[in-house]
């Protein structure tokens, strides 16, 4: 994500150079029930959606993309199915996690009321005026997708309770829990907000999956390693503590580690993925792997991969399905050209500011290189479909200009939200033929 317009200074975080060698762990799909065990799934297709960072523009453009996917009907063993139903996993970064949170929370609410998957409509769930909103879904979900999280950050910074180990990021996590993950709504219905254990069901339990996987990606502050925040990866890091809703949560030694980690709320995962340096303080997890350095500080996942494609390709490489499809939702508002219209070289200040985001942007030219590194070859078993802002330059230049000038924000006005959702839907539907061909059992 681009730097947020709020300029808040994070506290310095001490780092300890551990003597232990460390290889960053990867997600092991074999440890969990496959989302392809859900009803109406095509086992011959592995479909992953990667959503880039980008604050509320990513959230709302992405919401439009998912609503567009829902409109596309594909052929699965002779039966028409919504393309959205076929999504097996989301790999998200920072604000890209907002749309996964909104979709999975509303879908889970609906399924928990006994609803059938083919009766669920995400488009209706995010339509404030809809008379056919799915049962159980938070009626304020559309508002949650534009909620002013910048204001919540500022309130946290000014709160007299921000003392000791509490910081404004803890207030942001509480807001994520209450709003985008529908925590307040779900608690009124007598159930907690989404947790890691709702997303990842251990294979040993022999149960069916209820939801697609959602992997929120963060970056380790100390060594820059990408951290896909799944139960097995967090267990490898030795996580035994975190903060949720401004309270420290510590594992009781009598509770199995897997059970403790399964109980981590997805708002904690989302906040860690969105902890952009200088705006949101790093998320701190307590770990017991290295007694001399018991803390894991995590920052924005965009610093190690701002598209979420590394984790997405790792997921696809592990899936036995013969056909693999990656949909990349990229809300980068800048151009991909390496050229500038300015003759004079950037000054020191401009170069310093650009250094914060240049690594994030560099991923956009490396899809195929990353795919090959995971043993995937585009054009054979792999299809990559990209949905981005390039179409908006011609279709809605005014919206593109406003977004480009406004940068990444954690708030949106209703009109801006409406235009972003509509733009995401229209751009996605312009890829209809490619999506139908990639996902259908018997493509035309």
């Amino acid at each position: 994500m681009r730097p947020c317009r709020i300029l808040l200074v994070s506290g310095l975080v001490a780092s300890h150079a551990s003597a232990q060698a460390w290889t960053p762990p990867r997600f092991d799909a074999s440890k969990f029930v496959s989302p392809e065990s859900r009803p109406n799934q095509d086992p011959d297709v592995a479909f992953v959606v990667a959503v880039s960072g980008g604050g509320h523009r990513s959230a709302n453009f992405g919401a439009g993309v998912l609503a567009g996917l829902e409109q596309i009907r594909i052929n699965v063993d002779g039966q028409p199915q919504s393309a959205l139903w076929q999504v097996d996993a989301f790999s998200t970064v920072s604000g890209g996690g907002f749309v996964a949170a909104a979709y999975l929370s509303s879908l889970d609410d609906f399924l928990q009321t006994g609803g059938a998957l083919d009766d669920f409509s995400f488009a209706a769930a995010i339509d404030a005026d809809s008379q056919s909103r799915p049962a159980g879904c938070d009626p304020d979900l559309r508002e949650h997708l534009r909620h002013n999280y910048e204001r919540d950050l500022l309130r946290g910074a000014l709160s007299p309770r921000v003392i000791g180990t509490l910081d404004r990021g803890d207030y942001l996590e509480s807001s994520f829990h209450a709003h985008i993950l529908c925590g307040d709504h779900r608690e009124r219905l007598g159930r907690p907000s989404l947790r890691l254990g709702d997303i990842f069901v251990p294979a040993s339990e022999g149960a069916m999956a209820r939801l697609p996987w959602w992997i929120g990606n963060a970056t380790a502050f100390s060594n820059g390693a990408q951290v896909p925040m799944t139960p097995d990866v967090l267990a490898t890091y030795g996580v035994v503590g975190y903060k949720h809703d401004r309270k420290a949560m510590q594992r009781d030694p009598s509770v199995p580690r897997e059970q403790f980690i399964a109980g981590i709320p997805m708002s904690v995962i989302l906040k860690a993925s969105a902890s952009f340096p200088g705006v949101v303080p790093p998320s701190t997890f307590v770990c017991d792997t290295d007694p001399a350095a018991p803390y894991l500080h995590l920052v924005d996942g965009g610093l190690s991969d701002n598209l979420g494609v590394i984790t997405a390709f790792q997921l696809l490489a592990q899936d036995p399905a013969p056909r693999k499809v990656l949909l990349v939702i990229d809300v980068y508002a800048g151009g991909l050209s390496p050229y500038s219209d300015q003759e004079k070289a950037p000054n020191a200040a401009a170069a310093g500011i650009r250094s914060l985001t240049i690594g994030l942007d560099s991923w956009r030219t490396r899809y195929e290189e990353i795919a090959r590194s995971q043993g995937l070859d585009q054009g054979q078993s792999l299809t990559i479909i990209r949905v981005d802002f390039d179409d908006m330059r011609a279709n809605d230049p005014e919206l593109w200009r406003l977004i480009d000038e406004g940068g990444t924000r954690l708030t949106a006005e209703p009109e801006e939200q409406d235009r972003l959702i509509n733009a995401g839907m229209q751009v996605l539907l312009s890829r209809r033929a490619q999506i139908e061909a990639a996902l259908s059992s018997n493509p035309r």
Side-chain angles (χ1 to χ4, degrees):
M1 60 183 279
R2 287 175 153 189
C4 187
R5 66 178 181 180
I6 331 178
L7 297 179
L8 300 173
V9 181
S10 293
L12 295 178
V13 180
S15 177
H16 166 81
S18 172
Q20 297 184 6
W22 185 260
T23 301
R26 290 186 174 189
F27 171 62
D28 184 352
S30 68
K31 293 184 177 180
F32 303 96
V33 177
S34 170
E36 291 169 9
S37 67
R38 296 171 299 147
N40 305 321
Q41 299 301 296
D42 185 348
D44 290 334
V45 180
F47 185 21
V48 176
V49 176
V51 194
S52 78
H56 269 325
R57 75 169 186 265
S58 181
N60 290 285
F61 185 80
V65 170
L66 296 195
L69 269 181
E70 191 171 64
Q71 292 187 24
I72 296 178
R73 314 301 285 186
I74 59 172
N75 177 10
V76 178
D77 294 330
Q79 299 296 321
Q81 304 279 5
S82 164
L84 183 58
W85 300 350
Q86 297 302 313
V87 175
D88 298 309
F90 293 90
S91 175
T92 67
V93 180
S94 196
F98 293 9
V99 65
Y103 172 58
L104 295 178
S105 288
S106 58
L107 174 58
D108 187 60
D109 278 349
F110 180 73
L111 296 177
Q112 292 274 19
T113 65
L117 180 61
D118 54 1
D119 293 328
F120 176 75
S121 170
F122 181 60
I126 60 173
D127 184 352
D129 299 321
S130 175
Q131 301 301 310
S132 58
R133 182 178 296 108
C137 293
D138 191 329
D140 297 322
L141 187 59
R142 192 179 185 92
E143 191 282 329
H144 298 332
L145 279 166
R146 65 171 184 267
H147 180 82
N148 192 337
Y149 296 107
E150 293 180 3
R151 181 183 58 204
D152 296 336
L153 265 174
L154 187 59
R155 284 176 177 172
L158 299 177
S159 171
R161 295 186 60 194
V162 179
I163 56 175
T165 59
L166 271 184
D167 58 43
R168 64 184 180 276
D170 298 319
Y171 281 76
L172 181 63
E173 187 275 328
S174 291
S175 188
F176 285 165
H177 163 71
H179 297 288
I180 196 65
L181 279 147
C182 307
D184 287 352
H185 170 74
R186 292 169 68 98
E187 287 170 5
R188 286 195 296 271
L189 298 177
R191 57 178 180 267
S193 65
L194 280 180
R195 299 171 184 270
L196 271 174
D198 298 318
I199 307 294
F200 299 97
V201 179
S204 58
E205 292 185 5
M208 289 181 62
R210 187 171 72 243
L211 301 169
W213 286 337
W214 169 22
I215 301 182
N217 295 282
T219 304
F221 179 87
S222 294
N223 67 358
Q226 185 185 40
V227 181
M229 290 177 285
T230 60
D232 58 323
V233 169
L234 294 180
T236 302
Y237 277 103
V239 170
V240 293
Y242 58 90
K243 282 187 286 185
H244 167 56
D245 207 15
R246 290 171 282 174
K247 295 185 287 288
M249 313 297 291
Q250 195 74 26
R251 173 180 166 244
D252 186 315
S254 65
V255 175
R257 186 188 304 274
E258 292 76 11
Q259 180 180 334
F260 175 78
I261 291 176
I264 296 177
M266 293 306 294
S267 56
V268 174
I269 304 300
L270 182 58
K271 186 266 177 178
S273 178
S275 296
F276 192 84
V279 178
V280 182
S283 292
T284 298
F285 290 80
V286 183
C287 304
D288 62 3
T289 302
D290 183 355
Y295 303 107
L296 174 66
H297 302 295
L298 298 180
V299 294
D300 195 299
L303 300 179
S304 52
D305 171 11
N306 199 37
L307 293 176
V309 293
I310 293 179
T311 294
F313 284 133
Q314 291 173 358
L315 284 169
L316 290 168
Q318 294 182 66
D319 198 297
R323 288 185 289 136
K324 305 173 194 296
V325 181
L326 173 63
L327 174 64
V328 181
I329 304 174
D330 181 8
V331 299
Y332 178 54
L336 295 176
S337 170
Y339 305 109
S340 170
D341 59 1
Q342 301 295 317
E343 178 181 3
K344 187 176 181 180
N347 59 33
I353 293 172
R354 179 61 177 139
S355 69
L356 294 174
T357 59
I358 196 167
L360 280 63
D361 298 340
S362 68
W363 291 101
R364 291 174 171 83
T365 61
R366 300 172 60 191
Y367 285 22
E368 294 191 14
E369 174 188 342
I370 297 169
R372 286 193 298 271
S373 74
Q374 303 300 322
L376 300 169
D377 291 313
Q378 186 172 354
Q380 298 177 13
S381 63
L382 173 66
T383 301
I384 299 176
I385 303 169
R386 177 171 172 158
V387 178
D388 55 33
F389 275 5
D390 284 352
D391 295 81
M392 289 173 52
R393 294 172 187 266
N395 297 340
D396 195 342
E398 175 64 15
L399 177 59
W400 179 86
R401 184 186 64 79
L402 291 173
I403 291 171
D404 187 49
E405 291 178 355
T408 294
R409 296 180 298 141
L410 296 177
T411 182
E413 297 299 323
E415 181 182 355
E416 178 187 7
Q417 178 186 46
D418 293 345
R419 293 174 70 176
L420 279 167
I421 290 174
N422 183 65
M425 184 181 301
Q426 295 306 314
V427 174
L428 186 282
L429 291 175
S430 73
R431 313 284 197 270
R432 180 191 293 270
Q434 189 180 9
I435 292 169
E436 289 176 343
L439 296 179
S440 292
S441 296
N442 299 298
R444 290 174 292 181

